Amino acid sequence: MLEVRHIETFYGNIRALKNVSLSINEGEIVTLIGANGAGKSTTLMSICGVTPPRHGEILFRGEPIQALSAEKIVTLGICQVPEGRHIFPQMSVLENLEMGAYLRHDKAAIKSDIDEVFGRFPILEKRRQQAGGTLSGGEQQMLAISRALLARPALLLLDEPSLGLAPLIIKQIFEIIKKINDESNTTVFLVEQNANQALKIADRGYVMENGAITLEDRAENLLANDQVKKAYLGI
Amino acid sequence: MDFQYLFELLCGGIVKGSIYALIALGYTMVYGIIQLINFAHGEVYMIGAFVAFIVAGVMTLSGYSGLTVLLLAAVVAVIYSAAYGYTLEKIAYRPLRNAPRLSPLISAIGASIFLMNYVQLAQTPDFLPFPELVPEFEFMAPIERYLSSADLVILIVTTLTMAALTVLIKYTRIGKAMRATQQDLVMARLVGINVDRVISATFIIGSVLAAIAGVLIASRTGQINAAIGFVAGIKAFTAAVLGGIGNVPGAVLGGLVLGIAETLGAGYISSAYEDVFAFALLVLILILRPAGLLGKAVKQKV
Ligand SMILES: Nc1ncnc2c1ncn2[C@@H]1O[C@H](COP(=O)(O)OP(=O)(O)OP(=O)(O)O)[C@@H](O)[C@H]1O
Ligand SMILES: [Mg+2]
């Protein structure tokens, strides 16, 4: 479904991604793990067209997208929940959800999708008129994921959704991700530092170091890999 | 204390302030989205006044008069100014979107000087008499001391315009996109908002407001020239900073506070120092409340 081929992304003169290639098949959960500053977020932003790669190509369903604008890429069905959640702070919970459906015009379906979100997360319904910036971290993460789902993405990119959350909430978030993948057949590309949990729900995984992919394998193999165990699982 | 005189000054201050507010909105909306002080905004206002002058002149010659002329002149002025605002952004700011922060600021000052001189050369540097287009309403006679008919029109138009702007920002698709872009530009792109289009729309809306202000002020003061944009621009910028730059209600509040302060200062102390009061107020606010009256956390951007 998504083919990243030899991309290199720069910030000014700094090369943040070095010859990165990876692929994601329809229906999979693929995870990308790596230490701080490895280039995980940059990979997602490159796919989304926010920091387009200088070299290489990105194919989505066979079509090159690396030169498309960010909004065009959203139209194709690729949505990202960025690191740090990026809730619109002065917009209400409801408005935040509506922004997720910005490119859709099927009002009735949007409304029923929002009702579905409220069914899944009653806390969001309770806070529907509250400013997004005043929600707790866990609530914001649920809102951020729900907002992305309102675009009805085919491919959902998640950047460290467990960041800064309590263990119980983290467990819940991973369950939700699994459920999204199962129920609506949404393909998921999951960036995580919480390697253990991420690899448990993933089909396959990539390990990134200093802007380059150093390992790729089935998730269960990575969980058993000594190198991964030592560096990312703390075993 | 002479309360009648005070009330007279207050009314005058509100009328003046509401026009400052209209122009200040353009500064604040643009700043809110791209953190740029659009110094050429005052010139867009001036161009609005000039276009209205020309349309009004032609129409008056062809025998029309009064509010019909005002309305039509305003419509043409709005269209012209909107086109100028849109083009200005495309030519002077968009190519510098990723340049260091100082570059677009210098480009803004350049555009301001260019437009002022262009109108001076194409038209005239002299003051031109703007026709009186608002008739004396009879029902205004009893309170004419406080509020002239022209003032009433100004208050009605500014109130309606601001109400329309509020609705636009709060409820329309483009308004929501503007707010989203202002609050989180990267996320705005990630939900599929075309940020370039939002920026264009912001310039157009700001220019429309400025053109309306230009027509209103010209019909009140009765004269215009190519330099009016400079003074009005600086005053409105002051109002925007006063209210907290980037903050929409702040621009309205800042405009009103500035208008009232100026009129009170001029009325009680000396009209020769009107501008001094305006800028003294600005300095005072910047010392006491650097973020402005309604401004919140100060973003460390120029
Ligand atoms: N806007 C930027 N300008 C300059 N350099 C940047 C920028 N964003 C990221 N970088 C650099 O690019 C490299 C990769 O950063 P990136 O954010 O992709 O890492 P990451 O793997 O997501 O890290 P983390 O786990 O901390 O989120 C880092 O060295 C970082 O300093
Ligand atoms: Mg990151």
Side-chain angles (χ1 to χ4, degrees), chain A residues 41 83 159-160:
Chain A
S41 300
E83 185 177 350
D159 197 346
E160 302 203 36

Coordinates of all heavy atoms in Angstrom, one line a residue, chain A residues 41 83 159-160, ligand 2:
Chain A
S41 N 9.9 10.8 13.6 CA 8.9 11.8 13.3 C 9.1 12.4 11.9 O 8.2 12.7 11.1 CB 8.9 13.0 14.3 OG 8.6 12.5 15.6
E83 N 3.2 13.7 16.9 CA 3.7 13.6 18.2 C 3.3 14.9 19.0 O 3.3 16.0 18.5 CB 5.3 13.6 18.1 CG 6.0 13.4 19.3 CD 7.5 13.4 19.1 OE1 7.9 13.3 17.9 OE2 8.2 13.4 20.1
D159 N 2.2 8.9 15.8 CA 3.5 9.3 16.3 C 3.5 9.3 17.8 O 3.0 10.2 18.4 CB 4.0 10.6 15.7 CG 5.5 10.8 15.9 OD1 6.1 10.0 16.6 OD2 6.1 11.7 15.3
E160 N 4.1 8.2 18.4 CA 4.2 8.1 19.8 C 2.9 8.4 20.6 O 2.9 9.3 21.4 CB 5.4 9.0 20.4 CG 6.7 8.6 19.7 CD 7.9 9.0 20.5 OE1 7.9 8.9 21.7 OE2 8.9 9.4 19.9
Ligands
MG2 MG 9.5 12.1 17.2

